[in-house]
C-alpha cells in the first residue's frame, strides 16, 4: 500500500487482504437500516471530517462492509448535536482527539443513500491517542500524505479532497 508505514496505518490480519472484502450480510443490514430510517425519520444527518495531524497528513478509514477508503464519520443520533456526533465518530473510528474548533466546510445532500440524507463535512485538526486496531467495522485506518493516498479512494472521498485542496467551491451533492 502506498503512503503508509507501520506506525500510521493499522491493518487487519484476520481475513482482510488487499481489496476490501465486502460482507453481504453487513451490506444487507445497512440497507434494512436505511429502509427503517426512511419511515422513522423525516431526514437523516451524518458527519464526516477531513482530519489532519500535525504533519499535515489526512486520516482515512476502510470499512469491512463497504469497499474503498473514506473520510471518517457517521450518523447524528436523536438528541445528539453534530459536534457530539463528530467527536464520537472520530474517537470510535480512529482514536482521534479533536484539537481546536472544527471548521464546517459544506452541507451536502447524499443521494447515494436516500433522497433525504444530508452530510456535514468538517475540517479538523486531530491527534491520535493510540493507533486504532482493526475490528469488525474498520479493516484499516491511517494517516496519509496528500500526495501518497492509498489506492481505492471512493469517488466521493476523492471529490472532497480535490475540493479541499482547491479551497472550494464545494458541490451541493455528496
Amino acid at each position: 500500500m502506498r503512503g503508509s508505514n507501520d506506525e500510521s496505518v493499522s491493518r487487519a490480519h484476520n481475513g482482510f487482504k488487499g481489496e476490501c472484502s465486502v460482507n453481504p450480510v453487513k451490506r444487507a443490514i445497512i440497507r434494512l437500516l436505511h429502509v427503517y430510517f426512511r419511515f422513522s425519520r423525516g431526514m437523516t444527518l451524518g458527519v464526516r471530517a477531513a482530519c489532519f495531524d500535525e504533519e499535515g497528513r489526512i486520516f482515512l478509514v476502510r470499512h469491512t462492509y463497504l469497499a474503498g477508503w473514506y473520510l471518517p464519520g457517521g450518523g447524528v443520533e436523536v438528541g445528539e448535536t453534530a459536534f457530539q456526533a463528530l467527536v464520537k465518530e472520530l474517537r470510535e473510528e480512529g482514536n482521534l482527539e479533536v484539537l481546536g474548533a472544527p471548521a464546517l466546510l459544506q452541507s451536502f445532500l447524499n443521494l447515494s443513500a436516500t433522497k433525504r440524507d444530508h452530510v456535514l463535512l468538517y475540517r479538523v485538526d486531530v491527534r491520535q491517542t493510540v493507533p486504532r486496531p482493526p475490528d469488525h467495522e474498520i479493516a484499516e485506518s491511517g494517516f496519509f500524505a496528500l500526495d501518497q493516498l492509498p489506492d481505492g479512494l471512493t469517488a466521493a472521498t476523492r471529490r472532497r479532497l480535490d475540493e479541499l485542496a482547491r479551497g472550494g467551491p464545494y458541490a451541493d451533492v455528496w
Side-chain angles (χ1 to χ4, degrees):
M1 182 169 55
R2 297 183 298 134
S4 62
N5 61 43
D6 290 339
E7 295 176 7
S8 66
V9 176
S10 300
R11 181 183 295 265
H13 297 288
N14 55 355
F16 302 112
K17 300 174 188 165
E19 293 298 314
C20 178
S21 301
V22 178
N23 183 324
V25 174
K26 289 181 182 179
R27 181 169 280 192
I29 290 170
I30 290 170
R31 289 186 189 272
L32 286 173
L33 286 172
H34 280 287
V35 170
Y36 168 75
F37 293 150
R38 180 177 206 172
F39 295 106
S40 67
R41 300 177 180 177
M43 72 168 230
T44 56
L45 179 65
V47 293
R48 289 213 178 260
C51 299
F52 291 92
D53 68 3
E54 63 185 15
E55 297 175 36
R57 299 176 302 169
I58 191 155
F59 187 81
L60 299 171
V61 298
R62 190 171 66 80
H63 297 277
T64 59
Y65 52 88
L66 295 170
W69 287 90
Y70 291 81
L71 298 170
V76 178
E77 299 299 328
V78 174
E80 185 176 54
T81 68
F83 178 73
Q84 289 168 333
L86 182 68
V87 169
K88 175 190 70 182
E89 292 295 337
L90 298 184
R91 183 180 61 247
E92 289 176 358
E93 293 194 356
N95 292 330
L96 301 177
E97 179 180 279
V98 174
L99 305 174
L104 178 62
L105 300 175
Q106 178 68 311
S107 174
F108 296 90
L109 175 61
N110 182 9
L111 294 173
S112 68
T114 69
K115 293 180 181 178
R116 297 173 339 280
D117 186 45
H118 295 78
V119 178
L120 303 176
L121 177 65
Y122 293 88
R123 190 211 182 278
V124 184
D125 291 323
V126 297
R127 179 179 73 85
Q128 190 171 45
T129 56
V130 295
R132 183 177 191 302
D135 65 13
H136 65 281
E137 181 184 2
I138 305 294
E140 294 181 85
S141 63
F143 289 97
F144 298 89
L146 292 173
D147 61 352
Q148 295 182 336
L149 296 169
D151 293 331
L153 285 179
T154 66
T157 300
R158 169 61 65 195
R159 287 191 302 272
R160 301 299 79 85
L161 293 178
D162 289 346
E163 291 164 347
L164 187 63
R166 290 192 310 266
Y170 293 89
D172 290 329
V173 176
W174 185 256

